[in-house]
Every structure is written in C-alpha cells, then in structure tokens.
Amino acid sequence: MKNKQFLAASIMMLSLQTIQAQGYIKRAFNVLTTSDPAKVESTHKLNKDPETGQKVGQLDVYEFTIPASHHDMIEDIEQAFDKDKEKAYSLSSGSNANKKTYNYITLAVGGDEFGYPLGDIKDSRYIYALFLDPADKNKTHRYAYAMEWHEGSKEIVGKLIVTYATTQQYRKSRKQPRIITLSKQSGSGISINDNHFFDDSMGYFFSSHGSDSIFTNRSISSESWLSQFSTFRNLFMNNPDGAAANYYASFIYKLCKQADTLDEVERQIVIKELEKVRKITKDEFIQQMFDTSIERLRK
C-alpha cells in the first residue's frame, strides 16, 4: 500500500503547474498505477543545471502488468489523450504489432543525448503527446506523456512514460557538435563505458517530421560508420540481456540500413561480427534485427 501511495504522489508531483494542460492524462496514469490489480515498477531520473539548480531534464517510467480483464484502464488512458489533445502541440500513435523489423521512436530527455526509446516492447502499440511547459515563458521546454502496451490473452504489459526536455524546434535551432556519453548496464546500476564525439556531419540530428525522435539518416564515411558500429556492438556484447540491449541492437540495425559507404571487404567484416552478436542473444526479436541487418549488407 505504501508503494501505491508513493506512486500516486510521484505522479501528481511531477509538476503541479502542468495539471491543467495534461489533467486527464495525469489522472488516468494515476488510476492505473495505484489500482489494486496493477503490478508496477517505477524508475525516476532528474537532471538539473549544476550552476542554477534549474531542472533541464526528467524521466519517469512506470512499467506495469495488469490482468487482460482490466483492459478498460488502457481505454481510459487512450481517452485521456484524446481529451487533452487540444492542449498538446503534438500527438502521435503507432504500432509494432506483426512487424518483422524493429521500429521505435525516442522521446528526448533533457541532459541525455539518447533519450528514452518508445516502441521497444515486441508487438506493442504506443501513443504520446507533447505539451509546452507552462512555467517556461520562453516556450523552449516541453513535457512528453506516453503509453506503450502489449495485450496478451491473460495480461497486459506496458509502461507509462513522462519526459522533460527542450522542444525539438529549439534543439534544431541550436545544432552543434557535442560529446555523447555512452553507458552500459552493470548490475542494477550504470557504469560509464566511453565518450565519443559526434556532430551533424556524422548523421545525428532530431527528426523533422513531427516526432520527438533521434535517428540516423545522413551518409557518413566508412571510418565513422565502422567506429559507431564497433561502439554499439561492444555495448551490446557487454550486456546482451540488459535493459538497453534492444536500444543498442536497434541502433546497429539503423546503421546497417545506411551502409552505402562500406566497400565489400568492410561489409564482410561487419557481417561476421553480426553473426557473432546474434549467437549471444536469445531474444528472437533482436535476432530478427541482426538477420535483417545481414541481409541488407549482402545486397
């Protein structure tokens, strides 16, 4: 009971000033996470400017499992998104159901380069909405509210997500080279793996089609391509069963979709490495991603 009360308090205190803008969504989130049938595990992260103490980023994730008979809770949240949509500046939904390839977007988290992946549950559906932070007079920061879920015959598994970051428009206006800190899971904590320098010429930028995702799109040199592949291959191999394994694998998959700069010898090297990493995972979905990546490199 104390855990349920804590979840209720944490959701309602995410930002009292945002209740009016996302009131229905917040209440629907609260109902699901505090309900008796729900099994909920939460993760919270807050990033502040070290000089001003002002919040620059936030991540709250509530992973849940509910009996399939309580599908009405999911419907209530979908209806809440619909009720709050007029106050949102962006509303999107999608599905990974019955897709052979991995498809996800990334919700930006202020202070983190990679953000939080949405759509990484196999055969899932998702919905998210973006709202300007009413406390930010400059209108450069936003809250993102999202739900992802998969309905099985006996239970529904999913997660509710809240992130805080600058708006995509603001990020695009301030494009500049940056240091990306890559990390790997180590037990229950995070240990820093390495730092890598990336800029827009290497293909990292925020998408321009209305989503809140980060993805790779531009052509890059074979040296840069191989360096990125090596980095994410190592991250995946360090913990192939970790929480971030799907993200690392999907990054490799996206790289392999854009391997035009590799010559035949380089492609064969990468294929051999992909065959190695495929063997160390038991996740069929990730195996499919690696299989597809190999097929693309052989074309």
Side-chain angles (χ1 to χ4, degrees):
M1 180 60 70
K2 289 183 178 179
N3 186 48
K4 297 288 187 181
Q5 292 174 344
F6 171 78
L7 289 172
S10 62
I11 290 179
M12 296 310 295
M13 292 181 66
L14 289 175
S15 175
L16 293 177
Q17 292 173 307
T18 66
I19 290 178
Q20 184 177 1
Q22 303 101 50
Y24 290 106
I25 295 174
K26 291 171 71 69
R27 283 193 287 271
F29 276 20
N30 187 64
V31 168
L32 188 152
T33 57
T34 59
S35 67
D36 290 333
K39 298 178 181 178
V40 183
E41 295 290 337
S42 62
T43 301
H44 305 280
K45 183 174 184 179
L46 180 64
N47 296 327
K48 292 185 177 181
D49 185 310
E51 295 183 359
T52 65
Q54 183 177 358
K55 179 172 72 173
V56 296
Q58 172 184 323
L59 172 65
D60 297 283
V61 182
Y62 304 87
E63 299 181 75
F64 65 84
T65 301
I66 59 175
S69 58
H70 287 269
H71 175 78
D72 57 306
M73 293 183 183
I74 301 298
E75 293 179 342
D76 288 345
I77 293 178
E78 289 184 282
Q79 291 175 10
F81 273 95
D82 185 64
K83 291 178 180 178
D84 280 335
K85 68 181 180 181
E86 295 302 322
K87 298 171 184 176
Y89 69 84
S90 180
L91 176 68
S92 299
S93 61
S95 171
N96 286 321
N98 302 317
K99 291 185 178 179
K100 294 182 179 180
T101 58
Y102 185 79
N103 183 34
Y104 77 100
I105 63 169
T106 303
L107 295 176
V109 179
D112 291 353
E113 288 292 344
F114 288 125
Y116 188 86
L118 178 65
D120 64 342
I121 297 176
K122 186 178 180 180
D123 294 334
S124 67
R125 295 173 59 194
Y126 61 82
I127 184 171
Y128 73 92
L130 309 179
F131 302 85
L132 287 175
D133 178 6
D136 183 2
K137 296 181 180 180
N138 295 322
K139 297 184 179 181
T140 59
H141 288 79
R142 63 96 183 108
Y143 282 92
Y145 287 78
M147 175 176 67
E148 178 181 0
W149 74 101
H150 169 71
E151 298 187 33
S153 58
K154 295 183 178 180
E155 61 183 20
I156 301 172
V157 296
K159 49 190 173 182
L160 306 176
I161 306 156
V162 181
T163 79
Y164 183 79
T166 51
T167 65
Q168 182 188 82
Q169 182 177 1
Y170 179 77
R171 296 192 301 269
K172 286 172 61 179
S173 69
R174 295 175 64 85
K175 288 180 185 177
Q176 56 185 353
R178 55 197 183 272
I179 296 292
I180 293 181
T181 301
L182 300 177
S183 62
K184 65 179 182 179
Q185 297 286 335
S186 178
S188 60
I190 298 291
S191 61
I192 298 303
N193 181 277
D194 200 357
N195 289 332
H196 294 266
F197 181 80
F198 293 95
D199 62 22
D200 286 327
S201 66
M202 295 176 70
Y204 288 86
F205 67 104
F206 292 92
S207 68
S208 58
H209 53 72
S211 73
D212 200 49
S213 63
I214 305 172
F215 63 99
T216 307
N217 192 357
R218 300 178 185 176
S219 177
I220 60 176
S221 68
S222 60
E223 291 81 6
S224 296
W225 195 102
L226 291 170
S227 176
Q228 293 176 42
F229 174 79
S230 177
T231 295
F232 280 85
R233 176 206 59 188
N234 290 339
L235 286 168
F236 181 85
M237 295 185 73
N238 283 335
N239 195 358
D241 300 318
N246 275 332
Y247 183 72
Y248 299 145
S250 65
F251 192 97
I252 291 173
Y253 171 77
K254 284 181 177 289
L255 275 177
C256 291
K257 289 175 66 176
Q258 301 165 31
D260 296 341
T261 57
L262 299 184
D263 60 31
E264 186 58 32
V265 174
E266 292 167 335
R267 286 172 179 263
Q268 291 304 315
I269 292 174
V270 174
I271 288 173
K272 289 181 180 180
E273 293 303 314
L274 286 171
E275 290 172 344
K276 291 178 183 178
V277 296
R278 188 194 185 284
K279 292 179 180 179
I280 66 173
T281 178
K282 297 180 181 179
D283 188 304
E284 293 182 0
F285 201 43
I286 292 180
Q287 289 175 348
Q288 289 178 4
M289 276 196 286
F290 289 147
D291 287 341
T292 305
S293 298
I294 292 172
E295 291 176 6
R296 289 180 179 277
L297 290 171
R298 285 176 173 163
K299 290 181 179 179

